[in-house]
Amino acid sequence: MCYYSLIMKNTTDWLLTGPPWIQYRTRQDLLGQGEKDKEVVAARQAMLDYPRIKAMMAKLQEWPGKPLQHHNDASHLIHKLVFLSDIGVKAGDPGMSRIVERIMEGRSKEGVFQVMANINPRYGGTGADQLLWMLCDTPSILYALVKLGMKDDPAVKTAAQHLAGLGFENGWPCTVSPEMGKFHGPGRKTDPCPYATLITLKALAQLPEWRDSPACKKGTDAILKLWEQRKERKPYLFGMGTDFKKLKLPFIWYDILHVLETLTQFSGLCKDKRVLEMAGIVKGKADGEGRFLAESVWKAWADWDFGQKKAPSYWVTLQAQRILGRGE
């Protein structure tokens, strides 16, 4: 195992009292039960029948939806898509085929997946709603499609190839659609964008042909170096201080759980001292039962247990336990 095991029987027993999608992921991710196990099959079907999950799928039928105003707009469809892929929804599940079809229809001429955006002309846009891509959003769509079970789709492979090729020696920079002209985030052109680097790494980590690539090695080195230099550097305003260290879900922005979720998927990094430092911070937040509380929340998810700070969260506990217990 990577670090240490916090998982106790009463932790998993508690998780199995959670909603169906928590039960499904607990059986697979913590108990190691197979997809054909009758308890897993039952939990998965209950998850697909769960009203909130069905409502989210129905909302995603509106893809691409409203223009993306802020990349950390937790209510945007892109984050609902990623969440569904994280809990184990697949492209072939009822209600998903049309969503995937609409995403595929929105590919750019470079072959990457786009979102609806409206960029002010003074920032290089047209001022009109249009499909565009930015390196702080398109990797999340690629990630979701792979998790939905589409890693062998030619369009997915093309998108991965293009995104991997955008990396620099020090990670992935702020890069956007050619239609956006000179648009650039609040950082130097030579700096890596920590968030773009993180979500590009997370997407490529799902693809065996890219996981051990030089591009990913440069990207993981960039994130780890930023951790080492966190008191001196804050490229694109992404710091790794107090707020970064708060437990927060779903995976939307640049924070400690999101970084650990990504880095621990790469060979050898589970034992890297910088990863162990971050893991130790997370471990120290567990209560005596191995459960975790959300320390910061997205208001758009206030109706979910991880959208509140009142009591231990099923989803935060499951994700933290899964990350901390991940093997090489």
Side-chain angles (χ1 to χ4, degrees), residues 81-97:
L81 178 72
V82 170
F83 176 77
L84 288 180
S85 74
D86 275 338
I87 66 174
V89 171
K90 298 299 179 185
D93 288 331
M96 292 302 297
S97 60

Side-chain angles (χ1 to χ4, degrees), residues 214-261:
C216 285
K217 177 64 167 62
K218 293 170 185 175
T220 56
D221 284 349
I223 297 292
L224 290 169
K225 190 170 184 180
L226 288 172
W227 173 254
E228 287 182 331
Q229 301 174 344
R230 59 192 180 278
K231 293 183 179 179
E232 296 84 35
R233 297 184 63 198
K234 198 176 180 180
Y236 289 88
L237 306 181
F238 286 104
M240 300 176 95
T242 302
D243 287 341
F244 171 85
K245 296 172 186 174
K246 292 178 180 178
L247 305 187
K248 189 173 188 177
L249 287 175
F251 294 125
I252 288 176
W253 210 225
Y254 189 68
D255 53 59
I256 194 165
L257 273 183
H258 205 173
V259 168
L260 281 172
E261 162 67 5

Side-chain angles (χ1 to χ4, degrees), residues 141-204:
I141 305 174
L142 173 63
Y143 168 85
L145 289 174
V146 176
K147 295 281 283 185
L148 288 170
M150 300 184 64
K151 68 180 179 67
D152 295 322
D153 188 285
V156 168
K157 289 183 175 293
T158 297
Q161 178 79 41
H162 186 76
L163 295 187
L166 295 174
F168 285 0
E169 286 297 314
N170 60 347
W172 278 267
C174 179
T175 307
V176 299
S177 298
E179 296 89 342
M180 294 177 65
K182 297 181 179 180
F183 176 84
H184 196 270
R188 297 179 299 181
K189 289 185 178 181
T190 55
D191 278 341
C193 171
Y195 182 61
T197 297
L198 179 68
I199 61 173
T200 303
L201 282 171
K202 189 171 75 163
L204 295 178

